[in-house]
Amino acid sequence: MDAQLLAFVGIAAGMIALPGADFTVVVRNALASRSAGVATALGVAGGLLVHTALAVAGLAAVLVTLPVLFRTVQLLGGAYVLYLGISALYAARRRPTGRAGGAEGGPAGQGTVRALRQGFLTNALNPKAPVLFLSLLPQFVPDGQPPLPRTLLLAMIVVLLALIWFPAVALMVDRLGRWLRRPRTARAIEGGSGAALTGLGLVLVSGPLLH
C-alpha cells in the first residue's frame, strides 16, 4: 500500500469516526436492541455506497454545481434529520421511568427494517457528503494514473471503514446496554440524541452550505 493511500485511510477513518447524525442515529437505535443498532449501521454504509457511486460516476459534480438541486437535497436531508430529532425528543419525554424503552415499536423484524431505513436515509440525504467526496477523493489520485479505478478504490475504502466503525459502535452500545438502558441514562441519551439531531437538521434547513 503506497503512502498516499495510507494517508487517505487515516483521513477517511477520522472523518467517519467524527460524531454526527450517522453516529447519533446508530447509538440511539442500538439502545433499542443490538439488531436495530447493527441494521442502522448497515443502512449508513448503504447511504455511503450511494454517495461513493455518485462520486465515481461524476454525478456528484452536477449536484454541487446546480444550486437549486443541491438546495433541494439539503432541505430534504435537513427535514429528515429534524424529524428524527423531534421524534427522539418526544420519545425521551414519554419514556417510562420504570424501564428503558426502545426507539422502535412493533415486531422485531419491523423495527430492524425501520432502523435500516433510518440509517440509509440519514446518510443518503446528507448534502455535505457529495461535497466531501468531490473535495477529498481527487486529491488522492496520483498524476498519470487513470482516475476511475483509483477513485473507485478510494470510495470502497470509505464504505469498508463505515462497515467496520458503525457496527462496532452499535455493538459497543449494546455491550454497555445494562448501564446505558437504565431509565435515567437512557432518557438522557435519548434527549441528547434528539437535541443533536434537531440542531443538525435546523442547520441544514436554515441556510446553504456553499456560498
Side-chain angles (χ1 to χ4, degrees):
M1 185 180 291
D2 58 74
Q4 197 175 42
L5 200 57
L6 282 172
F8 174 80
V9 171
I11 293 172
M15 295 176 70
I16 286 176
L18 283 174
D22 296 333
F23 181 87
T24 304
V25 171
V26 169
V27 170
R28 176 176 176 255
N29 286 348
L31 283 173
S33 69
R34 178 188 301 178
S35 60
V38 172
T40 307
L42 295 178
V44 168
L48 274 173
L49 189 59
V50 171
H51 289 301
T52 55
L54 290 174
V56 171
L59 296 179
V62 177
L63 178 65
V64 173
T65 55
L66 292 177
V68 174
L69 182 57
F70 181 86
R71 183 59 179 154
T72 300
V73 174
Q74 186 179 34
L75 287 172
L76 288 173
Y80 184 71
V81 172
L82 188 59
Y83 161 76
L84 290 179
I86 293 173
S87 298
L89 289 173
Y90 181 75
R93 184 176 180 181
R94 292 181 57 87
R95 181 178 289 276
T97 56
R99 62 182 180 88
E104 288 86 21
Q110 180 182 347
T112 301
V113 172
R114 185 181 304 173
L116 181 68
R117 183 172 65 247
Q118 284 185 355
F120 177 80
L121 290 176
T122 300
N123 188 276
L125 293 176
N126 182 357
K128 291 188 287 187
V131 182
L132 172 64
F133 282 111
L134 281 177
S135 61
L136 182 63
L137 297 186
Q139 298 182 36
F140 293 89
V141 178
D143 295 334
Q145 282 196 14
L148 183 58
R150 181 74 168 194
T151 304
L152 182 60
L153 173 62
L154 297 176
M156 289 302 99
I157 288 175
V158 172
V159 175
L160 178 61
L161 290 171
L163 283 172
I164 294 172
W165 170 247
F166 289 109
V169 170
L171 292 175
M172 179 181 67
V173 171
D174 180 72
R175 190 173 184 84
L176 297 173
R178 180 175 297 181
W179 178 74
L180 294 175
R181 292 188 182 98
R182 291 176 180 174
R184 289 185 179 179
T185 304
R187 186 170 186 174
I189 293 174
E190 187 95 57
S193 310
L197 289 170
T198 300
L200 287 169
L202 289 173
V203 168
L204 292 174
V205 170
S206 62
L209 293 172
L210 296 179
H211 300 279

